[in-house]
Amino acid sequence: MLRRTILAGLPGLLAAPALLPAAPARAAEAFPGRPVSIVVPFPPGGATDVMARTLADRMAPALGQPVMIDNKPGAQTVIGADAVARATADGHTLLMSSGTTLTLNPLLPDKLPYRFEDFAPIVLCSKLPFAIVVRDGLPRDLDGFIRLAKSQPGKLNYGSNGPTSFNNIAAIVAFEGLGIRLTEITYRGDAQQLTDLMAGTLDVIVVGGSSGLAAHRSGRGHIVAWTGDRRLAVTPDIPNVSEHGPDMVAQTWFGLLAPAKTPAGVVEKLNAAAQKGLENPALQERLLSEGQYVAGGTPEEFATFLRSEMDRWRPLVRRLTGAG
């Protein structure tokens, strides 16, 4: 009887593959069927969180569903990223990644619970250059800062979030390119660096746009240069270190990704909604005030960018970790 039951079901099973191509199309048509969640692998209030919340507000009308933010910080963004990698691949759970998550972490010798291939790129949202900020009492222009640092190698110190953090990578690229040497002091994050810089106990910090601008606007810290590839409209008179050499561009990025195997039609819908949001003038103005450049583009262009970023930073990460 059991054998007859199995055999009787075989024609249906064998015919089933012919129906499969329609399934992704139906999934895309029905998407989104409920609110969409963007996982941010950082605490609220940081640059990644600002990017996610600003974009979510603009994506919701295009999708016809609320877009919620779910902060899952911890373990250098691994906790949040892994949660999305394991989520159902239907487009309702997304990741707002930074360069830490999918450029630097995969290059480290530590074993990750997720892989680069566990994600489907949707759109590159923005790029974030780093601000080189000096304490009050040091030269406020880049040339004067370079002269001072060269006159006393290693005497000035700078804050870092760890050897393989993106702000330290930006610092190394800038300082080596400028031919100066500073002493690294490791911190747990930007907040204490800002406090010590403003108190005059730390000479230099290399931090993301919003942190750097906060110090600069306070008058107790002064941005002498950025590490981006273009001048920021909010500080048009402040140069980039790349004006001293094109290889000194060092900036992190923010981008939206879904779990791998998310239907292509769903990814296309999410990309269209995100693109519409990124074109919003109010969003662009908000991000520029936070020191970010709006990006955009197709999922394919984002995938190419991700591969090129890993290729670019692999040699330096290997040097910093002693892996080669």
Side-chain angles (χ1 to χ4, degrees), residues 208-292:
S210 56
S211 296
L213 287 168
H216 188 72
R217 289 164 178 159
S218 75
R220 289 182 289 168
H222 311 282
I223 300 174
V224 296
W226 292 93
T227 65
D229 56 5
R230 71 191 84 166
R231 292 201 180 194
L232 279 171
V234 290
T235 55
D237 296 330
I238 298 177
N240 289 301
V241 290
S242 60
E243 294 173 29
H244 284 253
D247 293 335
M248 285 188 276
V249 174
Q251 47 197 7
T252 189
W253 54 267
F254 301 114
L256 202 60
L257 302 102
K261 300 184 181 178
T262 298
V266 171
V267 171
E268 289 171 7
K269 276 192 171 182
L270 289 165
N271 175 269
Q275 280 282 101
K276 188 172 182 179
L278 292 170
E279 292 167 1
N280 182 282
L283 176 142
Q284 294 184 2
E285 185 177 348
R286 170 71 194 280
L287 294 182
L288 282 172
S289 72
E290 296 280 339
Q292 298 186 42

Side-chain angles (χ1 to χ4, degrees), residues 276-323:
K276 188 172 182 179
L278 292 170
E279 292 167 1
N280 182 282
L283 176 142
Q284 294 184 2
E285 185 177 348
R286 170 71 194 280
L287 294 182
L288 282 172
S289 72
E290 296 280 339
Q292 298 186 42
Y293 314 124
V294 174
T298 66
E300 294 76 19
E301 288 169 338
F302 187 19
T304 298
F305 170 83
L306 289 171
R307 287 190 290 269
S308 68
E309 281 291 281
M310 288 183 68
D311 289 343
R312 182 183 177 199
W313 297 118
R314 184 175 285 108
L316 180 53
V317 171
R318 283 180 174 172
R319 185 184 113 195
L320 293 173
T321 58

Side-chain angles (χ1 to χ4, degrees), residues 35-276:
V36 173
S37 175
I38 299 179
V39 173
V40 176
F42 291 95
T48 315
D49 186 69
V50 168
M51 177 71 252
R53 292 179 189 275
T54 306
L55 183 60
D57 289 343
R58 273 75 184 183
M59 287 180 66
L63 293 173
Q65 287 282 357
V67 180
M68 316 298 289
I69 302 301
D70 184 7
N71 294 93
K72 292 184 182 294
Q76 285 288 92
T77 77
V78 170
I79 291 173
D82 187 47
V84 176
R86 296 173 183 271
T88 303
D90 61 5
H92 289 93
T93 303
L94 310 176
L95 174 69
M96 181 58 74
S97 176
S98 70
T100 297
T101 309
L102 284 176
T103 295
L104 298 185
N105 281 354
L107 297 175
L108 299 176
D110 304 325
K111 187 174 182 180
L112 293 174
Y114 65 83
R115 299 174 305 149
F116 181 82
E117 295 79 14
D118 289 335
F119 301 93
I122 297 170
V123 66
L124 175 63
C125 298
S126 65
K127 296 179 182 179
L128 178 74
F130 294 89
I132 300 176
V133 190
V134 302
R135 64 171 172 80
D136 206 18
L138 294 184
R140 299 187 182 189
D141 64 290
L142 181 58
D143 290 338
F145 170 68
I146 293 171
R147 285 194 298 271
L148 176 66
K150 284 186 173 180
S151 71
Q152 40 188 315
K155 184 175 180 181
L156 297 177
N157 56 41
Y158 75 98
S160 156
N161 293 335
T164 56
S165 61
F166 233 124
N167 75 321
N168 192 49
I169 283 176
I172 290 170
V173 169
F175 298 158
E176 290 186 354
L178 295 172
I180 59 179
R181 181 165 59 86
L182 283 76
T183 298
E184 178 189 357
I185 298 178
T186 303
Y187 287 78
R188 289 181 178 269
D190 290 356
Q192 190 58 47
Q193 290 188 51
L194 282 166
T195 298
D196 287 358
L197 181 94
M198 292 183 183
T201 57
L202 184 64
D203 295 319
V204 181
I205 58 176
V206 182
V207 291
S210 56
S211 296
L213 287 168
H216 188 72
R217 289 164 178 159
S218 75
R220 289 182 289 168
H222 311 282
I223 300 174
V224 296
W226 292 93
T227 65
D229 56 5
R230 71 191 84 166
R231 292 201 180 194
L232 279 171
V234 290
T235 55
D237 296 330
I238 298 177
N240 289 301
V241 290
S242 60
E243 294 173 29
H244 284 253
D247 293 335
M248 285 188 276
V249 174
Q251 47 197 7
T252 189
W253 54 267
F254 301 114
L256 202 60
L257 302 102
K261 300 184 181 178
T262 298
V266 171
V267 171
E268 289 171 7
K269 276 192 171 182
L270 289 165
N271 175 269
Q275 280 282 101
K276 188 172 182 179

